[in-house]
Amino acid sequence: MNRFSSAPLPIVYQTPEQRFDAELTTLVAAPPFKIAPAASVGLDEFRSTVEGKSALILDARPSPFFERGHVPGALNLARDDFAQDYRNLAGVLQAAQDKPIIVYCSGGECHDSRLVANALLSLGFSNVRVFTGGWDEWSAAGLPASTGSER
């Protein structure tokens, strides 16, 4: 019967957490969306947002890069560990559901921030933007940095 069903039951049992992780992984692996000009921010706006603590700042780079240096106050929601990081940050993220969120990665050719932003938009977050200059532009400007897992 399962063979002919349009929605067959999986043969291997997955816990609800495993199914949730699989869904999140699928979301973040989707092709990056085209960012409208209003959905991206430049260095000056990003800097004033960080200094004013007026948005949740998310670093989409892998944790080893985050630990070497990141924007002060940023949280690590890495594209490559999206499901696990999302679960770890669930309380903070749910509290920011309708608040401004800015995601960044390395900048330049890196699309991790766009993938994470797209996944967050798909999950119902309404005010997500991307700092396209990323860590490269931030650090090249000589702006402050935090290291390790500190915010």
Side-chain angles (χ1 to χ4, degrees), residues 11-89:
I11 294 174
V12 178
Y13 175 76
Q14 290 185 324
T15 65
E17 291 82 16
Q18 289 170 321
R19 290 192 305 268
F20 182 67
D21 286 358
E23 289 176 24
L24 289 176
T25 301
T26 301
L27 274 178
V28 80
F33 66 105
K34 183 85 171 171
I35 296 180
S40 63
V41 297
L43 180 61
D44 292 336
E45 183 180 354
F46 184 64
R47 181 180 183 179
S48 66
T49 300
V50 169
E51 290 171 351
K53 298 179 181 171
S54 56
L56 178 63
I57 308 298
L58 299 174
D59 187 325
R61 299 174 302 151
S63 59
F65 294 100
F66 177 82
E67 290 172 5
R68 278 188 232 143
H70 58 271
V71 173
L75 298 174
N76 192 210
L77 182 58
R79 182 199 55 83
D80 59 349
D81 286 328
F82 185 79
Q84 180 179 346
D85 288 350
Y86 184 87
R87 273 192 282 117
N88 291 341
L89 297 173

Side-chain angles (χ1 to χ4, degrees), residues 31-150:
F33 66 105
K34 183 85 171 171
I35 296 180
S40 63
V41 297
L43 180 61
D44 292 336
E45 183 180 354
F46 184 64
R47 181 180 183 179
S48 66
T49 300
V50 169
E51 290 171 351
K53 298 179 181 171
S54 56
L56 178 63
I57 308 298
L58 299 174
D59 187 325
R61 299 174 302 151
S63 59
F65 294 100
F66 177 82
E67 290 172 5
R68 278 188 232 143
H70 58 271
V71 173
L75 298 174
N76 192 210
L77 182 58
R79 182 199 55 83
D80 59 349
D81 286 328
F82 185 79
Q84 180 179 346
D85 288 350
Y86 184 87
R87 273 192 282 117
N88 291 341
L89 297 173
V92 174
L93 291 170
Q94 291 308 315
Q97 187 85 26
D98 296 318
K99 296 182 177 154
I101 297 174
I102 301 177
V103 185
Y104 74 91
C105 58
S106 296
E109 295 300 312
C110 178
H111 295 292
D112 289 353
S113 57
R114 290 183 170 125
L115 291 166
V116 168
N118 190 37
L120 290 172
L121 289 167
S122 297
L123 289 166
F125 292 84
S126 59
N127 190 355
V128 181
R129 297 183 294 163
V130 174
F131 170 47
T132 54
W135 176 249
D136 292 346
E137 187 175 353
W138 180 269
S139 56
L143 295 168
S146 295
T147 57
S149 58
E150 70 181 66

